[in-house]
Amino acid sequence: MAGKDCPMRALQFTAYGDPEVLEWAEAPDPHAGPGQIRVAVRAASVNPIDWKIVAGALAGGEPLAGPGYLGYDAAGVVDEVGDQVAGVSVGDEVFGRGMPTQAEYAVLDSWAVKPPSVDWAVAAAVGVAGETAERGLRLLGVTAGDTLFVDGGAGGVGAVTVQMALARGAKVIASAGQANQDYLREIGATPVLYGEGMAARVEAAAGGKVQAVFDVAGQTPIEDLISLTPEPSQVVSIANFTAGQAGARVTGGGEDGHPMQALAQVAELLAQNKLVIKVQTFPFDRAAEAYRISQGGHVRGKLVLVP
Ligand SMILES: NC(=O)c1ccc[n+]([C@@H]2O[C@H](COP(=O)([O-])OP(=O)(O)OC[C@H]3O[C@@H](n4cnc5c(N)ncnc54)[C@H](OP(=O)(O)O)[C@@H]3O)[C@@H](O)[C@H]2O)c1
């Protein structure tokens, strides 16, 4: 079903650099291809990959060819449904993943219906974070009665992982800096401080080893995390890409991902109030401020852009 054509605005940049290169300006409007939907965006979150892209960190030294567009998740109202898509209609309120999403209109590749009780900003916040959390927990096989340690529990992926694991009946220990210890307690984790001596603090909190470690921050020496588990493969990292050399597992999405199933689980937890995310919102034309905060590395919950 075709949607309307619309001159739209999107967050963009024409040279790599600091977040100040970002512009909220006109861009070609996207359309849903087979298996995709288009939404009128009500909110789109900021993930660390966004500022890494703007900085040119993923460009492999190649110059930018044309404007760069950003964003990997969004929530909005469906206004176009691609071929081979069933179960969703124009006018439905959804959230999900796609690229680029920090724009007035975005094409999503995976989505779930937004529970009516959930804010647009919260729904946008859990696209990437929710899919990543589900993937980590599935790869680690976390089930009821397990103890999970989340290294980096207060940010986007960490806060969703903590709550998703609790909903499965696991016990969760999570790390954060001093300022986020209370936040971790609020979302149900046993907090520990990261840094020197952290492995001993985790063992003390767990009363021994844990069944699984999810390395979200990628900052702790991988040997320290492996020392907490019965075997190295029970450490999964999303941010330390050399962790595999020590026997831990690394996941970047791709074949490990089941995004539609993951987002359906996230929607259910949101509807049941078992997943609560602290969000800080910024208008799209002040995106650089949100990017700066993300770049600082100490986000509590999620940063979200709104029209
Ligand atoms: N591979 C994948 O599929 C995938 C998917 C999504 C994200 N990622 C990557 O995963 C990382 C986390 O993403 P995110 O969205 O959760 O980031 P985020 O929202 O910016 O959160 C980062 C968190 O890291 C914590 N942190 C900072 N230094 C730490 C340390 N030394 N030890 C433990 N925790 C520390 C911070 O806690 P304090 O504020 O308390 O310091 C903060 O809460 C990023 O590098 C991102 O690019 C990978």
Side-chain angles (χ1 to χ4, degrees), residues 136-148 164-172 211-212 234:
L137 293 175
R138 178 164 39 77
L139 291 173
L140 287 164
V142 174
T143 55
D146 286 349
T147 300
L148 167 72
M164 226 179 210
L166 289 169
R168 293 177 181 202
K171 177 183 174 190
V172 183
Q211 277 73 42
Q234 275 306 89

Side-chain angles (χ1 to χ4, degrees), residues 143-216:
T143 55
D146 286 349
T147 300
L148 167 72
F149 173 53
V150 181
D151 195 16
V157 177
V160 179
T161 305
V162 165
Q163 296 173 77
M164 226 179 210
L166 289 169
R168 293 177 181 202
K171 177 183 174 190
V172 183
I173 301 166
S175 73
Q178 189 64 55
N180 281 327
Q181 297 287 297
D182 282 345
Y183 178 56
L184 288 180
R185 247 179 237 111
E186 266 173 49
I187 59 175
T190 301
V192 294
L193 278 175
Y194 52 63
E196 192 67 33
M198 184 185 71
R201 290 190 286 282
V202 175
E203 282 204 36
K209 287 187 188 285
V210 299
Q211 277 73 42
V213 170
F214 193 32
D215 174 24
V216 173

